[in-house]
């Protein structure tokens, strides 16, 4: 079974990325042949600073390795180290109906926010399809917001297979319902584009501040909160604390008498503890960048080998060779 996923180096990784995509992906490395990559080509649709891209790419590599991605079990690489993916994008593009892309939420959302769209942003699901199909991937672990893109991938693959004969494996998205959408500090989906994120790594003080700023309602502490399960801090606690601890705080909130400040403090402590081991691992890796670069290089050569095989198959089936 081939498992594949990618993440863009377009900013600092946050807790939503961790629970929605990184942790499920890291756990799946035990269950099959995993391919995980840093989607630097994708980041070009929205990030226009070369140094920032370079820095973010290294940061994503450090974050992933610190969080438990094991290069002995997974193939970990930079997307642009496998340029074959761009050639396959073209083969797929010519079979992708415009309407399919026009319906994509991520594009529509960015348009709605007034971002002036470039062709890359519009065509991005085709590059993503190529990322997935070029490794004969079976399973794609992602957060819910990426589900539509995996569906687009399936549609494109089916069309290619119908037009040119069996070429691609049809992939399945894998979404964990329990963490499908991690809420941000304002209660909306946590996303770097909404400025409501809690970083996985960073300094204690600003992170404590971020958590203390979680948006709550204005009900007084004494008032019982029958809707305690909807509270953002409770929802986040469920991710970083044991079930018993999270349940206990939820019950205290439900009963009344618990102030939001105390709840947030508890959340901070649990969150800080949850990532303690990864934090230590990350500082170790920061002092060993040669190792990190070597991991990416080795990953790229393994990924490229597989990509070349699939691209050759596609080229042959559509009559380029
Ligand atoms: P962002 O929304 O911050 O730009 P990305 O779109 O780069 O994040 O997402 C990278 C991965 O993390 C994707 O698989 C996405 O589904 C997942 N992800 C991002 N935000 C969340 C969230 N709030 N809850 C669950 N998963 C998320
Ligand atoms: N589009 C994904 C995101 O923004 C990243 C990505 C690119 C990806 N190619 C992929 C995820 C292939 C899964 C499979 O989060």
């Amino acid at each position: 079974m081939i498992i594949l996923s990618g993440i863009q180096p377009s900013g600092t990784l946050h807790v939503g990325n961790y629970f929605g995509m990184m942790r499920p992906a890291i756990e799946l490395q035990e269950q099959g042949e995993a391919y995980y990559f840093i989607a630097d080509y994708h980041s070009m649709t929205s990030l226009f600073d070369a140094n920032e891209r370079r820095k973010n790419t290294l940061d994503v590599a450090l974050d992933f390795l610190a969080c438990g991605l094991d290069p002995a079990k997974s193939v970990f690489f930079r997307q642009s180290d496998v340029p074959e993916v761009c050639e396959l994008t073209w083969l797929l593009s010519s079979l992708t109906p415009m309407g399919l892309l026009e319906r994509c939420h991520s594009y529509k959302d960015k348009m709605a926010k007034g971002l002036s769209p470039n062709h890359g942003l519009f065509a991005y699901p085709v590059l993503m399809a190529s990322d997935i199909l070029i490794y004969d991937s079976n399973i794609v672990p992602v957060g819910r917001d990426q589900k539509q893109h995996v569906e687009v991938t399936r549609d494109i693959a089916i069309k290619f297979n119908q037009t040119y004969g069996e070429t691609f494996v049809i992939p399945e998205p894998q979404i964990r319902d329990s963490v499908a959408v991690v809420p941000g500090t304002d209660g909306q989906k946590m996303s770097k584009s909404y400025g409501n994120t809690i970083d996985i790594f960073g300094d204690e003080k600003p992170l404590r501040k971020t958590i203390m700023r979680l948006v709550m309602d204005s009900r007084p502490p004494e008032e019982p909160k029958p809707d305690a399960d909807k509270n953002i801090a409770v929802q986040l606690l469920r991710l970083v604390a044991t079930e018993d601890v999270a349940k206990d705080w939820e019950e205290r909130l439900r009963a009344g008498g618990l102030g939001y400040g105390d709840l947030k403090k508890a959340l901070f402590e649990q969150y800080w503890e949850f990532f303690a081991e990864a934090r230590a691992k990350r500082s170790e890796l920061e002092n060993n960048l040669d190792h990190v670069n070597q991991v990416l290089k080795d990953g790229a050569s393994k990924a490229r080998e597989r990509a070349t095989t699939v691209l050759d198959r596609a080229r042959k089936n559509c009559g380029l060779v």
Side-chain angles (χ1 to χ4, degrees):
M1 184 174 70
I2 308 282
I3 302 148
L4 170 127
S5 196
I7 197 154
Q8 293 196 41
S10 49
T12 310
L13 294 184
H14 53 73
V15 168
N17 298 139
Y18 178 77
F19 288 103
M21 184 270 186
M22 296 166 76
R23 188 167 73 170
I26 289 167
E27 286 175 7
L28 275 172
Q29 74 189 353
E30 310 295 334
Q31 288 174 34
E33 205 178 319
Y35 288 76
Y36 298 133
F37 66 93
I38 307 171
D40 54 355
Y41 279 146
H42 279 273
S43 73
M44 299 191 73
T45 61
S46 54
L47 176 70
F48 303 96
D49 183 309
N51 286 330
E52 210 177 314
R53 188 173 352 271
R54 239 173 250 125
K55 178 182 182 301
N56 289 348
T57 300
L58 178 62
D59 278 339
V60 171
L62 289 167
D63 290 355
F64 246 108
L65 292 169
C67 286
L69 186 143
D70 180 353
K73 293 180 182 152
S74 304
V75 179
F76 186 40
F77 60 103
R78 233 186 320 249
Q79 183 185 28
S80 63
D81 282 340
V82 188
E84 286 76 9
V85 80
C86 290
E87 183 177 345
L88 184 62
T89 302
W90 181 251
L91 308 196
L92 302 178
S93 272
S94 313
L95 284 180
T96 307
M98 292 289 282
L100 195 62
L101 300 180
E102 278 160 2
R103 281 196 298 277
C104 285
H105 301 304
S106 68
Y107 168 70
K108 287 204 294 196
D109 291 353
K110 285 181 179 136
M111 286 282 282
K113 281 205 203 90
L115 255 153
S116 102
N118 53 60
H119 171 253
L121 189 66
F122 181 71
Y124 149 126
V126 191
L127 176 57
M128 181 156 163
S130 177
D131 289 330
I132 296 171
L133 300 177
I134 207 165
Y135 302 104
D136 279 343
S137 313
N138 304 104
I139 304 279
V140 185
V142 280
R144 177 159 297 151
D145 58 341
Q146 293 296 323
K147 183 167 182 244
Q148 190 186 32
H149 291 150
V150 183
E151 281 159 2
V152 167
T153 302
R154 291 168 56 90
D155 288 351
I156 297 174
I158 290 168
K159 184 138 181 218
F160 197 102
N161 287 353
Q162 280 169 350
T163 310
Y164 295 120
E166 271 317 295
T167 308
F168 297 119
V169 172
I170 311 299
E172 296 279 346
Q174 190 173 91
I175 295 151
R176 283 220 196 149
D177 275 332
S178 56
V179 290
V181 180
V182 176
T185 53
D186 57 358
Q188 285 192 74
K189 176 199 141 164
M190 186 179 292
S191 171
K192 51 188 169 285
S193 41
Y194 303 154
N196 63 356
T197 57
I198 303 171
D199 294 348
I200 304 172
F201 299 106
D203 293 332
E204 181 171 352
K205 248 191 164 162
L207 283 165
R208 189 187 288 275
K209 252 193 177 157
T210 304
I211 288 185
M212 294 312 288
R213 276 202 306 260
L214 287 184
V215 177
M216 302 276 126
D217 57 52
S218 56
R219 286 175 290 177
E222 340 44 279
E223 191 177 325
K225 317 279 186 310
D227 53 352
D229 57 322
K230 306 263 168 7
N231 182 286
I232 313 168
V234 168
Q235 289 182 25
L236 292 169
L237 255 177
R238 283 208 198 113
L239 297 172
V240 294
T242 61
E243 214 181 309
D244 286 351
V245 169
K247 197 89 210 137
D248 184 50
W249 284 99
E250 185 182 331
E251 288 310 324
R252 287 177 63 184
L253 192 63
R254 201 179 289 279
L258 170 67
Y260 289 141
D262 289 339
L263 176 63
K264 291 178 187 174
K265 271 187 210 143
L267 171 62
F268 176 78
E269 299 307 329
Q270 294 287 336
Y271 149 84
W272 195 248
E273 176 58 31
F274 183 88
F275 288 108
E277 198 185 321
R279 212 175 298 120
K281 179 89 196 285
R282 198 181 192 284
S283 2
E284 225 174 81
L285 289 163
E286 272 169 36
N287 292 318
N288 199 356
L289 294 183
D290 286 349
H291 165 71
V292 176
N293 287 321
Q294 192 59 45
V295 164
L296 292 177
K297 206 169 152 201
D298 293 346
S301 74
K302 285 187 204 145
R304 206 161 179 194
E305 211 179 295
R306 193 170 183 92
T308 308
T309 311
V310 179
L311 178 62
D312 284 350
R313 190 197 303 149
R315 285 171 58 94
K316 186 161 158 271
N317 290 358
C318 69
L320 290 173
V321 280

